[in-house]
Amino acid sequence: MPESPEVERIPSDLQELLDRFFAVCRQDLELMRDALHGRDFNTLARLGHTARGTGSGYGFKGMGRIGYDIELAALERDPAAIERHVDNLAHYLDTVQVEFDG
């Protein structure tokens, strides 16, 4: 895991949506952990894909990269890699620093 937090530059018009955004991301993270426990690779691929698209769409490039990693590991049915990437996502959500554009 990275030692220093990532800094993401987000459009200022999204500022009021971020509390809800992070709440949903944390819910999805728990769903990922549950799916991993149950070896539900289809759900993991879907959730990884969602994290990739949503993260990138909001400007969270690091989340987009991790979501892609989760999706790919799920498609490869690699539980050890999935667990590592899910842990990376948890760390990212806990430490990401947001700077607003505009």
Side-chain angles (χ1 to χ4, degrees):
M1 277 185 251
E3 292 299 316
S4 59
E6 283 194 55
V7 177
E8 302 280 17
R9 297 200 56 80
I10 307 301
S12 60
D13 59 335
L14 297 178
Q15 185 171 0
E16 62 188 52
L17 303 176
L18 289 188
D19 286 341
R20 177 75 180 134
F21 172 81
F22 281 112
V24 170
C25 289
R26 290 189 194 322
Q27 289 172 348
D28 284 353
L29 185 65
E30 289 309 309
L31 292 173
M32 287 177 192
R33 292 189 190 285
D34 290 344
L36 180 59
H37 180 74
R39 298 296 194 252
D40 184 348
F41 297 108
N42 291 332
T43 295
L44 284 158
R46 180 181 53 78
L47 290 168
H49 183 81
T50 298
R52 175 185 180 188
T54 305
S56 297
Y58 273 75
F60 291 95
K61 296 176 187 121
M63 182 177 165
R65 287 188 303 271
I66 297 167
Y68 175 76
D69 291 340
I70 292 168
E71 181 181 11
L72 186 61
L75 292 172
E76 293 175 351
R77 305 178 77 79
D78 184 344
I82 296 166
E83 183 173 19
R84 184 173 65 253
H85 298 311
V86 168
D87 288 346
N88 287 344
L89 180 58
H91 177 76
Y92 175 88
L93 292 172
D94 287 343
T95 62
V96 65
Q97 294 181 358
V98 177
E99 292 181 359
F100 295 100
D101 288 332

